[in-house]
Amino acid sequence: MKNSRREFIKKGSMAGLATYIGTMGLSAKSYRNIIGANDRVNVGVIGFSDRFRGSLLPSFVKLHKELNFDMVAVSDIWKKRREDGQAYLKQQLEHDITACVNNEALYDLKNIDAVFISTADFQHALHTVEAVKAGKDTYTEKPLAETMEDARAVLKAVKDSGKIVQIGSQRRSGATYKAAYDFIQQGKFGPIVMVELIWNVNQPGRWRRPSLVPQLREEDTDWKRFLLNRPFEKFDPRKYLEFRLFWPYSSGIPGQWMCHQIDTVHWFANLPHPRSAAVNGGIYAWKDGRKNADTLTAVFDYGPINDPSKGFQVIFSSRMTNAAGDVKEIYYSNGGTLNLDTNQISPEGGLNENHAKAMGMKANLLPSVSLNDMATKVTTDANTGSDDLTLSHVRNWMDCVRSRKQPNAPIEAGYNHAIAVIMSNAAYRTGQKVTFDEKTQEVMAGGKVFKY
């Protein structure tokens, strides 16, 4: 990545100062406390959303003084959220905040180094394209994209820019997940034979904003700007505020929840995406005008793209109508089970001696290993109030903005989870078994490219 003039001067100044502070006997920690504003990383907010306010901002507030970051501006096209964001950030950060009517106005400020992007699901990709083309690093919420067109555009823009982009797949910064990853990569687990993923809640109000919808007037926002590249339709405050319930603004369950867990599959298995997907589901309980499923089960085939003789099955099941089962991520090998709910690796289900001996084989049983000492509690709450995973993930991004190293969830991770999300959405909406065309990088349903 080419350094800007500002970065070049900064590095030159820091080299000289390193010698100076050494002669003064200052530690690196002590020096960080006296670094001036020229070394501070200024951050802007793209979209003052519930997710940003409830989880990302609390993490940033906990870290920004230690890491010498500041938050100076917020962009939101809705007047109410723009003004609310300006006031709330001023309260949290104890200084004035610039409110911008749109993203271009924020980038015109020229003093922004990086941004949090926490807008509607379908906007993440194009807002990230805007940001990196404006020379900004980003923390981009998931899902990265809901169409392959947008996914390809953001992948290219980020790679061309050399900017630091962290995708909001916070499991990649969790200690327990890293321990499980290491166990699998070291060959101790054996080949994965199946994965079961569950995400259940019982929340009729999840993704609803009934008290807020009447407050949104078309004249107070920019509906055309909101739509970006989606087909034009008349202003609808529900689709603006409750976008997670309506395609093509969100796939709902796949884009909101499955993308977290399927990203872990990609990470653990070193695979980019499913080979195929089949989905069933529907709107079985919450008859509130939504278009996205309240219950959905996806079955994926994973394995080497060019070797169908190897692989494993992944089942993702989610319902919004009964919370029994909560959130589960369970990996199976021939030797046992890796359970990321209990944080236990065990011989449960492994090949025991009696069954092995009958076929002239040896028993295959994993040891019992506890990961509780490094456990990170996973919550189903949308706004997790700076839980350990989000805090670690935001810290990793902030560290990488300074070091220019790749973050734990780089753009490729987002691109790959987007493929799985789009495949599951295509399978649900078409009723077809869906595949991915490696050459064209398109999701195929019934021999046709899927878009909407």
Side-chain angles (χ1 to χ4, degrees):
M1 183 188 69
K2 295 181 179 179
N3 293 320
S4 66
R5 180 175 180 274
R6 177 182 176 189
E7 290 168 333
F8 178 79
I9 293 172
K10 183 193 301 181
K11 289 181 178 179
S13 300
M14 290 298 290
L17 281 171
T19 303
Y20 174 67
I21 66 172
T23 63
M24 293 177 64
L26 292 176
S27 68
K29 182 177 181 180
S30 298
Y31 175 65
R32 282 199 301 272
N33 293 330
I34 63 170
I35 293 178
N38 286 339
D39 187 63
R40 186 170 295 128
V41 176
N42 288 328
V43 177
V45 179
I46 305 298
F48 188 67
S49 65
D50 295 340
R51 169 65 181 168
F52 172 77
R53 177 172 176 159
S55 296
L56 301 179
L57 179 60
S59 297
F60 182 85
V61 168
K62 287 183 179 180
L63 298 168
H64 80 286
K65 289 183 179 179
E66 174 194 349
L67 300 178
N68 200 19
F69 277 60
D70 198 8
M71 196 165 280
V72 298
V74 58
S75 165
D76 200 294
I77 57 175
W78 184 20
K79 183 175 182 288
K80 173 178 167 50
R81 278 191 170 159
R82 182 167 65 248
E83 293 175 352
D84 288 350
Q86 182 183 36
Y88 191 73
L89 291 174
K90 181 177 180 179
Q91 177 191 44
Q92 292 292 304
L93 296 163
E94 301 179 333
H95 61 68
D96 289 339
I97 299 291
T98 301
C100 303
V101 296
N102 55 45
N103 300 343
E104 288 90 335
L106 184 140
Y107 297 134
D108 284 344
L109 295 176
K110 304 301 182 186
N111 67 330
I112 304 295
D113 301 300
V115 293
F116 281 100
I117 296 174
S118 184
T119 49
D121 290 359
F122 75 101
Q123 296 172 337
H124 294 161
L126 297 187
H127 284 168
T128 302
V129 171
E130 288 178 355
V132 299
K133 286 186 175 181
K136 316 305 176 187
D137 299 322
T138 83
Y139 183 109
T140 299
E141 264 300 337
K142 56 76 207 166
L144 177 63
E146 293 275 14
T147 67
M148 285 310 304
E149 179 183 2
D150 291 348
R152 292 191 299 270
V154 68
L155 178 68
K156 183 179 187 304
V158 172
K159 293 177 77 68
D160 288 348
S161 73
K163 291 297 167 183
I164 299 299
V165 171
Q166 174 90 298
I167 306 303
S169 301
Q170 61 264 27
R171 280 163 166 74
R172 290 194 178 227
S173 292
T176 295
Y177 287 88
K178 182 61 166 63
Y181 168 83
D182 289 341
F183 190 87
I184 292 172
Q185 296 306 306
Q186 291 164 9
K188 297 177 182 178
F189 188 63
I192 297 169
V193 296
M194 189 172 182
V195 182
E196 291 181 343
L197 308 173
I198 299 171
W199 198 303
N200 296 334
V201 301
N202 193 347
Q203 299 170 348
R206 191 63 175 261
W207 306 337
R208 295 291 309 277
R209 302 291 184 269
S211 64
L212 203 57
V213 167
Q215 300 180 49
L216 178 59
R217 301 181 304 171
E218 186 171 6
E219 58 265 32
D220 291 335
T221 189
D222 188 334
W223 177 242
K224 288 183 179 180
R225 188 180 288 269
F226 172 84
L227 291 175
L228 289 175
N229 62 353
R230 291 308 189 258
F232 180 79
E233 61 175 304
K234 67 179 182 178
F235 175 71
D236 186 334
R238 284 200 68 193
K239 291 175 181 176
Y240 188 108
L241 293 170
E242 300 178 348
F243 59 85
R244 295 175 181 90
L245 302 176
F246 299 100
W247 178 248
Y249 309 109
S250 172
S251 57
I253 287 172
Q256 282 295 299
W257 298 335
M258 190 196 79
C259 69
H260 280 301
Q261 296 181 324
I262 211 70
D263 173 70
T264 307
V265 173
H266 297 163
W267 180 30
F268 285 4
N270 288 322
L271 293 170
H273 56 75
R275 291 186 294 206
S276 67
V279 173
N280 207 325
I283 305 168
Y284 298 128
W286 307 135
K287 309 292 186 177
D288 53 10
R290 69 182 65 201
K291 299 301 181 183
N292 289 335
D294 62 19
T295 304
L296 183 145
T297 297
V299 181
F300 299 101
D301 173 57
Y302 271 89
I305 303 303
N306 298 318
D307 188 356
S309 69
K310 298 178 181 178
F312 57 93
Q313 185 180 77
V314 176
I315 298 178
F316 169 83
S317 177
S318 178
R319 61 178 177 266
M320 304 178 74
T321 56
N322 184 295
D326 195 27
V327 172
K328 299 285 189 297
E329 295 168 85
I330 305 174
Y331 288 72
Y332 300 97
S333 73
N334 180 252
T337 301
L338 188 157
N339 188 321
L340 284 162
D341 178 49
T342 62
N343 293 317
Q344 294 286 331
I345 297 169
S346 75
E348 181 181 2
L351 180 60
N352 63 40
E353 186 173 354
N354 287 340
H355 291 105
K357 188 176 181 180
M359 298 303 296
M361 302 168 68
K362 293 183 178 180
N364 182 14
L365 296 171
L366 294 175
S368 293
V369 179
S370 173
L371 302 176
N372 281 333
D373 290 343
M374 295 185 291
T376 303
K377 173 62 179 173
V378 177
T379 174
T380 59
D381 292 341
N383 305 312
T384 47
S386 187
D387 63 282
D388 290 343
L389 286 176
T390 302
L391 184 67
S392 296
H393 208 50
V394 171
R395 176 184 282 275
N396 173 252
W397 175 64
M398 294 166 78
D399 286 341
C400 290
V401 167
R402 286 206 178 276
S403 70
R404 312 314 294 173
K405 294 180 180 178
Q406 282 297 298
N408 289 341
I411 189 63
E412 292 83 1
Y415 184 78
N416 290 337
H417 85 221
I419 295 173
V421 166
I422 296 163
M423 288 178 70
S424 64
N425 191 35
Y428 171 65
R429 298 190 184 281
T430 66
Q432 302 279 343
K433 181 178 179 180
V434 169
T435 58
F436 187 71
D437 189 316
E438 292 291 332
K439 183 177 180 180
T440 63
Q441 295 290 289
E442 291 283 9
V443 168
M444 307 300 294
K448 299 179 180 179
V449 173
F450 175 80
K451 183 173 183 180
Y452 297 132

